[in-house]
Amino acid sequence: QQTVFSGSWMLVATWDSVEMYEDENDYGNTFQGILITDGWRSYAVFTYKCGLLEWSGGATIGFYAEGDFYMNHPLSGVNSTQIACVNGDLLWSNVVYSLNGPLPFMDISADLKLPKFLNATSVSIQTGDLGFPIGNSTQNEVYVSTNGYFSFGRQITDCCPTPFPNGTNYLVAPFWADIDNRGDDAGEIYYQVHSRGSNSVSDELLDKVSVFISGNQQTVFSGSWMLVATWDSVKAFPGDTMNETNTFQGTLVTNGEESYAEFTYQCGLMEWSVRATIGYYADGDLYENHPLTGSPNANEIACLGNSSSQPSQWTNVVYHVSYNGSEVPKANENTTVEEEPFLSFIAGNKLATVPSVGLPRAPSSHSEPIHIPVGLPFGSTTTVVHSVVYVGTNGLFSFGSVTPTKLDPVMFPGSVEYVVAPFWSHIDSQWRGEVHYEVYNRAVSV
């Protein structure tokens, strides 16, 4: 996962030599699932050992939160046992999923607006006591432009975008284009400033954005000042000749040492396209153009999602715009990850092996509610946090009030939300095998 992460709560469950329902071949499967969180970010880790998955049963492997935030492993549904030996000569196989979804729009529509005329900018917005580090400088004022960008130190009224670097430094562009917000049907441009400690709403929004950036940028970050701007249902120039509108949001956030820009788009809300510039230019050689910069189809950014393997109706783009003297890690860099064997424990809790009513020889049991004191974020947005989880005999975890009693696996997305499945299948642990689980809290002796 190429991240800096230190968990504070962990649940480990082992399905040990469990049988498939009504299987007369006396085969057993052993696998392990781990849920781990620091209260901000959450991960699921599945562990398999080559030779210890003896039956398939068309298992589902992956997770489903809600909406379009889900993942099916390529081996879900067919030849599922092969997942234990996918690493070739390696004995162990690990699958790791991030359970945290994208950052959606923040609602700031009740705050400050830009005037409704061409090439307008906001008034000077002060960046707080610590200033806003960008590039090799620290800026004390920023402006929001009608044309889809932020500028530092001075008002810029350029209508027509060019790729970076272009001589216009200290500029951050969620979607720099010739925008026309004149007229009652041409949308609005809102902006809002948040400082930590000023009120509970600001603190909550700063926490939400900080958590997302920490996960996205593989770091630990807590912002103290933030500017959020929304270009809401704006038109391209000339606005009186078109009906299509675009909606997008840009956020600048800093702790006085590190600064980030985050852009948010929603699939379906970027209706028109021009050769827009998306990215930033700080100074010197610190700049970045999004791959869609200059494309006649730049609005397609809204439907890219945050990962090809985890589709979403939201797209988030994050840039580290301050210079700290070292290379900024990239989320898409490949790293070598060593195989991780099963975690072992002695005094694990055993799940009941009593069959459910009406389901002979199919225990379909589950654990008692397992409470998560720090909360476990898992959902299509960063605001979905769970306090209870269950372990199910049938090879899955479930959250909230939904207990994992469903017998037969289905490919995600399905009708059961908030499910994490190391090997969801019709398992019978009544006659052979056991399911163990154990909870670990940091600073608690285990």
Side-chain angles (χ1 to χ4, degrees):
Q1 289 290 307
Q2 303 113 53
T3 187
V4 178
F5 176 76
S6 179
S8 58
W9 180 92
M10 181 171 70
L11 170 62
V12 182
T14 303
W15 288 260
D16 187 2
S17 302
V18 293
E19 289 184 321
M20 183 171 64
Y21 178 63
E22 293 187 338
D23 183 6
E24 299 178 355
N25 294 315
D26 200 33
Y27 293 149
N29 278 3
T30 298
F31 55 94
Q32 191 171 81
I34 299 172
L35 301 175
I36 186 167
T37 185
D38 59 3
W40 290 3
R41 292 166 290 171
S42 305
Y43 297 93
V45 182
F46 308 156
T47 302
Y48 315 89
K49 185 177 183 180
C50 195
L52 292 188
L53 287 182
E54 298 177 339
W55 56 266
S56 179
T60 296
I61 301 167
F63 71 87
Y64 176 40
E66 80 285 319
D68 58 2
F69 186 52
Y70 65 91
M71 169 69 79
N72 290 295
H73 190 276
L75 290 173
S76 285
V78 291
N79 301 320
S80 304
T81 55
Q82 293 180 8
I83 195 170
C85 301
V86 294
N87 286 335
D89 294 336
L90 297 178
L91 189 61
W92 299 92
S93 175
N94 301 110
V95 176
V96 182
Y97 293 122
S98 170
L99 302 179
N100 303 123
L103 183 70
F105 289 141
M106 291 174 279
D107 183 8
I108 61 167
S109 58
D111 220 302
L112 302 169
K113 299 180 182 179
L114 261 63
K116 294 177 74 67
F117 57 83
L118 293 177
N119 305 325
T121 66
S122 67
V123 297
S124 173
I125 302 168
Q126 300 303 301
T127 58
D129 295 338
L130 299 176
F132 191 96
I134 179 171
N136 289 292
S137 76
T138 297
Q139 298 291 322
N140 296 311
E141 62 176 351
V142 61
Y143 297 86
V144 181
S145 169
T146 297
N147 292 318
Y149 56 81
F150 304 95
S151 62
F152 289 86
R154 66 197 187 282
Q155 291 177 308
I156 297 177
T157 59
D158 290 353
C159 66
C160 303
T162 54
F164 299 125
N166 54 13
T168 307
N169 56 357
Y170 307 124
L171 192 147
V172 177
F175 198 84
W176 179 8
D178 195 358
I179 292 175
D180 189 350
N181 69 329
R182 298 174 297 173
D184 294 338
D185 63 344
E188 299 282 359
I189 301 165
Y190 307 97
Y191 64 96
Q192 193 172 76
V193 177
H194 297 280
S195 298
R196 189 168 294 280
S198 59
N199 57 70
S200 60
V201 173
S202 290
D203 287 350
E204 181 179 344
L205 289 176
L206 277 162
D207 285 345
K208 180 194 298 185
V209 173
S210 297
V211 167
F212 179 80
I213 287 175
S214 294
N216 182 278
Q217 293 289 293
Q218 299 85 54
T219 188
V220 177
F221 175 77
S222 178
S224 58
W225 181 92
M226 180 170 69
L227 169 63
V228 185
T230 304
W231 288 260
D232 186 3
S233 302
V234 294
K235 294 184 176 182
F237 178 81
D240 57 359
T241 64
M242 64 183 306
N243 295 319
E244 294 84 2
T245 64
N246 280 0
T247 297
F248 55 95
Q249 189 170 84
T251 300
L252 303 173
V253 61
T254 187
N255 61 7
E257 296 181 358
E258 303 293 328
S259 301
Y260 295 90
E262 187 280 323
F263 310 153
T264 303
Y265 315 87
Q266 185 174 8
C267 193
L269 294 188
M270 298 287 285
E271 298 175 346
W272 55 265
S273 185
V274 293
R275 296 184 184 276
T277 294
I278 302 167
Y280 75 96
Y281 179 32
D283 49 33
D285 58 0
L286 186 59
Y287 67 91
E288 191 159 354
N289 291 294
H290 189 275
L292 285 173
T293 288
S295 167
N297 301 312
N299 63 331
E300 292 180 354
I301 192 171
C303 298
L304 291 181
N306 291 344
S307 166
S308 60
S309 61
Q310 294 181 0
S312 171
Q313 65 172 319
W314 300 96
T315 298
N316 301 109
V317 176
V318 181
Y319 293 117
H320 184 191
V321 299
S322 54
Y323 178 72
N324 61 5
S326 62
E327 182 181 357
V328 179
K330 300 298 183 183
N332 60 354
E333 289 181 349
N334 293 322
T335 59
T336 301
V337 181
E338 295 183 358
E339 57 180 358
E340 182 66 32
F342 292 137
L343 299 181
S344 62
F345 46 83
I346 299 174
N349 300 291
K350 295 182 180 179
L351 269 65
T353 56
V354 178
S356 298
V357 176
L359 298 172
R361 300 197 62 202
S364 191
S365 57
H366 57 79
S367 68
E368 294 296 318
I370 301 168
H371 296 278
I372 310 169
V374 297
L376 190 147
F378 171 34
S380 61
T381 71
T382 55
T383 60
V384 182
V385 180
H386 301 270
S387 59
V388 172
V389 63
Y390 298 85
V391 180
T393 297
N394 292 320
L396 70 161
F397 304 95
S398 69
F399 292 82
S401 60
V402 180
T403 53
T405 57
K406 190 172 179 65
L407 295 175
D408 297 319
V410 295
M411 296 289 283
F412 299 129
S415 59
V416 181
E417 297 179 338
Y418 304 117
V419 171
V420 176
F423 200 86
W424 179 11
S425 190
H426 196 163
I427 293 174
D428 188 350
S429 62
Q430 186 178 14
W431 311 118
R432 174 183 171 176
E434 293 179 320
V435 184
H436 307 269
Y437 68 94
E438 188 66 275
V439 175
Y440 298 90
N441 290 281
R442 185 168 293 281
V444 176
S445 178
V446 296

